[in-house]
Amino acid sequence: QQQRIPAWHPILDPEWMIYSYLILAVILIPLGYHLETESEKVVEMSVVYDSTNPDEQPCGIGMRYNANENCTLQFTVPQTMNPPVL
C-alpha cells in the first residue's frame, strides 16, 4: 500500500481563477500603460565615429585601438529632451 504525504492541493475552480485574473489585470494594465508612456519619451541617437575611411574619421582613431586619445563629437538632437538626460 502506498503512503500518502501531506501536500498542498489547490482548488482551482473557475470563479476563483476569474477573480484572480481580474485582480492581476487591474494591477498590470495601469503599470503597462505607465511604462509605455515613459518609453515613448526616450530619444535615441547613434553617431558613427570609427569609420575605416580616414576622411570620415572625426576623431582619427581608425585602427589604433586603445590609443588613449580624447575625442569631441558634435551632433544635434532632433527632439527637445527634458532632464535628467543620461
Side-chain angles (χ1 to χ4, degrees):
Q1 183 177 5
Q2 187 174 4
Q3 293 181 353
R4 184 108 175 140
I5 298 175
W8 180 57
H9 299 288
I11 301 172
L12 301 176
D13 60 349
E15 183 178 329
W16 189 84
M17 291 302 297
I18 290 171
Y19 289 135
S20 298
Y21 283 130
L22 286 176
I23 291 170
L24 279 174
V26 166
I27 294 170
L28 294 178
I29 288 175
L31 178 65
Y33 177 75
H34 175 70
L35 291 175
E36 177 70 22
T37 55
E38 288 298 316
S39 70
E40 289 176 357
K41 297 177 185 177
V42 173
V43 177
E44 183 177 350
M45 294 189 59
S46 63
V47 178
V48 178
Y49 62 90
D50 59 350
S51 175
T52 56
N53 186 357
D55 297 332
E56 296 177 3
Q57 296 175 358
C59 294
I61 295 173
M63 296 307 227
R64 298 180 313 221
Y65 299 111
N66 297 325
N68 293 329
E69 294 180 7
N70 291 332
C71 179
T72 302
L73 299 175
Q74 294 182 358
F75 53 89
T76 56
V77 181
Q79 296 176 346
T80 302
M81 298 190 315
N82 296 327
V85 177
L86 304 174

